Amino acid sequence: SNKCETYPLATRLNIVCVGLSPDGSLAILIDEEGAALLVSLIGKCVIHKFYFHKPVHSVSFSPDGKKFVITKDNIALMYHAPGRKREFNAFVLDKTYYGPYDETTCIDWTDDSKCFAVGSKDMSTWVFGAERWANLIYYSLGGHKDVIVACFFEENSLDLYTISQDAALCVWQCDTELDGLKPMPPKGAAKENNAAKDDEEFLEEPKGEEIHGKANPSEKETRNKVKYSRVAKYFFNKEGDFNNLTSAAYHKKTHLLVTGFASGIFHLHELPDFNLIHSLSISDQGIASISINSTGDWIAFGCSGLGQLLVWEWQSESYVLKQQGHFNSMVSLAYSPDGQYIVTGGEDGKVKVWNTSSSFCFVTFTEHNSGVTAVTFTSTGYVILSASLDGTVRAFDLHRYRNFRTFTSPRPSQFSCLAVDSSGEIVSAGSQDSFEIFIWSMQSGRLLDILSGHEGPISSLSFNPMKCVLASASWDKTVKLWDMLDSWRTKETLILNSDVLVVTFRPDGKELAVAALNGQITFWDHENAVQIGSIEGRHDLQMGRKELDKITAKQAAKGKSFTTLCYSADGQSILAGGLSKFVCIYNVKEQILMKKFEISCNFSLDAMEEYLDRRKMTEFGSMALIDEGAGDEDGVAIPLPGVKRGDMSYRHFKPEIRVTCLRFSPTGRSWAATTTEGLLIYSLDSGLIFDPFELDIDITPSNIHKTLRQKEYTMAIVMAFKLNEKKLIQEVMEAVPSNEIDVVCTSLPDLYVEKVLEFLASAFETSCHLEFYLIWAHKLLMLHGQKLKTRSVKLLPVIQFLQKSIQRHFEDVSKLCEWNIYNIKYALAISQQRGMKRLAEETSEDDLDGDSDYLMQEVQKDILS
């Protein structure tokens, strides 16, 4: 039941820290430069934007939800938390706390929100009062020899645990209980308030109260104040181990401390006695973040190096959730024929299969030894093929999750592209280094033929969906068409003006689209080898200027082009993307740009800005060209032309924004892109859009309800679809009695049959009225099947969308039914055995095993029959 959701909001740079309000309704997201967004998690929208001017290290709400503290530089700032009422400024500064000498790293609050502790890089921890307490304004704790990673208060107490990077834990005991904190006497408060009010009239923003802490206060200042004493000090590392502690979390109710280390190991300890419960290695890289759920049963771990997210149930020692993205960038993707799954291939050599409805990866294949260059599904949807630079093409089975075929070439070749014909029998892959195309049989795994004729590396392959014709594109400025049935002879050669990068057939197989290095997309009638149109798309790419570029983005764009193409499911539009943050969608017939999608607004990636920022320019050139700590005088080496990745050995390595692959869903409702940001899916299904159809003045919700009351169901359905409000359509459809569905389907106009089918497909995704909607689908297809067949090409995406929805329910329900049948049969077989009298000596252990095996076999026979 795990589900993943993407919020429709983004910061300008990478998000560094997140603060969640205790009731779970608000979140504060802060990026690398200190720009904050206040987000409503219920409404999924940005409420307020604020800029802290400096990088923020951590943010934490108080347990009562009235305040929050952020740490930046060597100070802690306490703000009033946004309330229920609408404020002009949601972030009002209450107090500023000074004390640590170096940057502050972590925050923790007491349970009653009276005090909070702040850890620092200067190896000290400071306890501050959230209010002005007479016996606790500030308190400094030392005792560590490294940076403080985390500090935690004990439940309903001022007792404190502090943990440092060298894996040491200090236990601090306080001589005062929380109830023993005395409020500051209101001495001269009225005068101070009046003076402060006069000052604030001249200030744009009210300055909060400032509290300056001292590391070594005088004896007079510490008299009658709270005192801390160190009770114990524990070490996580054994003697001789040097394993840095990177993150920690503490659950106050169960006294459970979880610590994560740079080697990927985590420890569970029970405090205050420091008893080790268990430890486990979960990653090769450091654990960046840890969180424990409210009950203390589940622990979540985040590893930023590998992009891992794990949820661990510590009592049963089992995974609740385990997800990991591609280590390097994704290179290619493919949709399954029903649009339910997406397969991606990455430069890390992994092939991952994702579920589009839950957004989770459910299987990873790691057989390749080098980067995967292309992936595809066969027409059945149960076999995945992947080509790699390691010289193999592998076939994976989605039933048993195994690699059942490996195709290789006689001489080792690096495969750059892959295609499989519509029957799933012929597999072809193009080589980068030998300029040849290899053809294998899926059934036998044998190499059938090697097609040679190209004079440059093969860049792309595509099979015609309707005929056994293969199109191959190459850097030798040609596209060759090979007839698979006529002994693999070249049927036609299409000559272009520039190196060809990608070729793709329209879903009906009647048109061919080709993208070349000069930025042009050309359309061909491949039957007659005639060009029927072209799009000049270089200016639509809108390149950004990289930090190390010596020339402007406009000049650099002259050498750029589209590197991936894909037709929409109906073949009327074409998607194109390349080395830029934009994906363009063109109308094929009119040859015009319909829309540009900006895939990212994250300026932490390179080549996002068209012009270089003047603030980053020095008299010696761009600041990016001056590498910090570079000993040699040459500075930063400019990357060579055509280099796809930057140099990861630099201190400041910024990944470049790019779109590596685009695919349209067979359902026609969504499309996906593999980018530097990851796998992005754009869909029509989410979002409220008023999109009426043949609307006239009489069609209103009240008139539709009136028609329904008069039991004119067909009329009400037609009116509801004209208004095109999903909730209203659902209400009208569900108001039709099940015995009337047959009559309504018969009288429904042809134009609306298609619309009803589309609605049914989307309704299956969310509705619980499974049988009711299945009756609708069955009746519509039975009564209008013949008419729909004549428009099959246009209706194919809708039918596939419907099939995907029904198939998902079928899989869920059939698993449940099989399990129930099995249990009932087993219970019946056991009850029949019960009544039989048996001799005592016969009931040995072997006989019991034999009986249970016999029962199992009987049950399985019944199920199969």
Side-chain angles (χ1 to χ4, degrees), residues 138 214-223 225:
Y138 61 86
K214 293 177 190 171
N216 301 308
S218 63
E219 199 177 317
K220 187 185 171 189
E221 286 173 336
T222 56
R223 200 176 298 139
K225 296 275 197 294

Side-chain angles (χ1 to χ4, degrees), residues 261-272:
F261 292 84
S263 60
I265 293 172
F266 76 87
H267 293 318
L268 259 73
H269 284 89
E270 190 182 12
L271 292 182

Side-chain angles (χ1 to χ4, degrees), residues 5 71 83 121 270 309 312 541 723 772 790 809:
E5 194 177 352
T71 59
K121 284 188 180 174
E270 190 182 12
L309 174 67
W312 174 259
L541 258 177
L723 199 58
F772 180 74
T790 56
H809 281 296

Side-chain angles (χ1 to χ4, degrees), residues 361-377:
C361 168
F362 63 89
V363 62
T364 303
F365 300 108
T366 56
E367 277 81 0
H368 284 295
N369 302 324
S370 188
V372 175
T373 51
V375 287
T376 184
F377 271 95

Side-chain angles (χ1 to χ4, degrees), residues 28 50-53 59-62 65-72 76-82 89-97 109 116 205-206:
I28 295 172
F50 192 79
Y51 189 43
F52 287 112
H53 299 288
V59 56
S60 176
F61 274 88
S62 63
K66 290 180 179 172
K67 305 272 173 74
F68 70 87
V69 170
I70 67 117
T71 59
K72 67 172 189 181
L77 301 169
M78 185 163 74
Y79 286 83
H80 291 286
N89 182 8
F91 289 10
V92 179
L93 183 63
D94 183 21
K95 293 183 181 70
T96 306
Y97 296 88
W109 286 82
F116 65 91
E205 188 184 329

Side-chain angles (χ1 to χ4, degrees), residues 477-479 493-497 524 531:
K477 303 183 184 180
T478 64
V479 172
T493 301
L494 314 175
I495 297 165
L496 287 100
N497 304 329
W524 297 76
Q531 184 179 331

Side-chain angles (χ1 to χ4, degrees), residues 546-613:
K546 288 191 280 187
E547 280 189 344
L548 302 179
D549 276 358
K550 295 280 192 184
I551 56 170
T552 61
K554 200 172 180 182
Q555 284 296 111
K558 290 180 180 175
K560 298 294 188 262
S561 55
F562 293 115
T563 55
T564 175
L565 282 183
C566 173
Y567 273 100
S568 62
D570 57 7
Q572 291 178 2
S573 327
I574 195 161
L575 278 168
L579 304 182
S580 114
K581 62 177 176 176
F582 290 105
V583 169
C584 305
I585 185 160
Y586 294 96
N587 184 306
V588 176
K589 196 177 174 188
E590 303 293 335
Q591 291 166 18
I592 54 167
L593 180 69
M594 289 159 66
K595 189 174 170 66
K596 263 162 86 166
F597 295 92
E598 190 174 358
I599 56 164
S600 176
C601 57
N602 183 2
F603 285 90
S604 295
L605 300 171
D606 207 358
M608 285 293 294
E609 296 175 274
E610 198 172 336
Y611 302 103
L612 283 184
D613 194 337

Side-chain angles (χ1 to χ4, degrees), residues 354-564:
W354 309 78
N355 188 321
T356 53
S357 51
S358 70
S359 309
F360 281 102
C361 168
F362 63 89
V363 62
T364 303
F365 300 108
T366 56
E367 277 81 0
H368 284 295
N369 302 324
S370 188
V372 175
T373 51
V375 287
T376 184
F377 271 95
T378 59
S379 53
T380 58
Y382 296 114
V383 174
I384 291 166
L385 287 151
S386 63
S388 167
L389 296 174
D390 64 3
T392 62
V393 172
R394 293 178 186 270
F396 302 98
D397 175 12
L398 275 189
H399 285 305
R400 295 180 186 82
Y401 300 143
R402 65 192 178 100
N403 173 204
F404 70 93
R405 283 264 187 283
T406 303
F407 308 101
T408 54
S409 54
R411 288 187 308 282
S413 296
Q414 291 191 316
F415 296 123
S416 58
C417 49
L418 174 74
V420 60
D421 77 329
S422 52
S423 67
E425 175 51 34
I426 297 171
V427 180
S428 65
S431 162
Q432 268 187 357
D433 36 20
S434 64
F435 314 158
E436 291 166 334
I437 301 161
F438 298 88
I439 310 285
W440 296 274
S441 162
M442 175 70 92
Q443 211 73 38
S444 63
R446 281 177 48 232
L447 180 69
L448 299 176
D449 204 351
I450 300 172
L451 311 181
S452 49
H454 280 295
E455 293 163 16
I458 313 296
S459 54
S460 178
L461 293 174
S462 179
F463 264 103
N464 188 325
M466 299 302 165
K467 293 177 186 166
C468 216
V469 172
L470 175 70
S472 63
S474 168
W475 293 7
D476 64 4
K477 303 183 184 180
T478 64
V479 172
K480 289 186 187 291
L481 297 163
W482 312 81
D483 196 339
M484 295 286 126
L485 302 175
D486 190 13
S487 67
W488 291 291
R489 256 186 272 155
T490 315
K491 193 177 162 197
E492 202 72 63
T493 301
L494 314 175
I495 297 165
L496 287 100
N497 304 329
S498 186
D499 297 10
V500 187
L501 300 178
V502 59
V503 61
T504 181
F505 275 100
R506 200 165 70 183
D508 63 1
K510 290 180 181 171
E511 190 177 273
L512 188 70
V514 179
L517 195 62
N518 59 5
Q520 267 196 348
I521 303 169
T522 50
F523 301 99
W524 297 76
D525 172 6
H526 62 91
E527 292 287 331
N528 307 314
V530 177
Q531 184 179 331
I532 51 176
S534 72
I535 293 169
E536 189 67 56
R538 183 181 289 149
H539 299 299
D540 300 326
L541 258 177
Q542 222 170 317
M543 293 293 305
R545 182 171 178 176
K546 288 191 280 187
E547 280 189 344
L548 302 179
D549 276 358
K550 295 280 192 184
I551 56 170
T552 61
K554 200 172 180 182
Q555 284 296 111
K558 290 180 180 175
K560 298 294 188 262
S561 55
F562 293 115
T563 55
T564 175

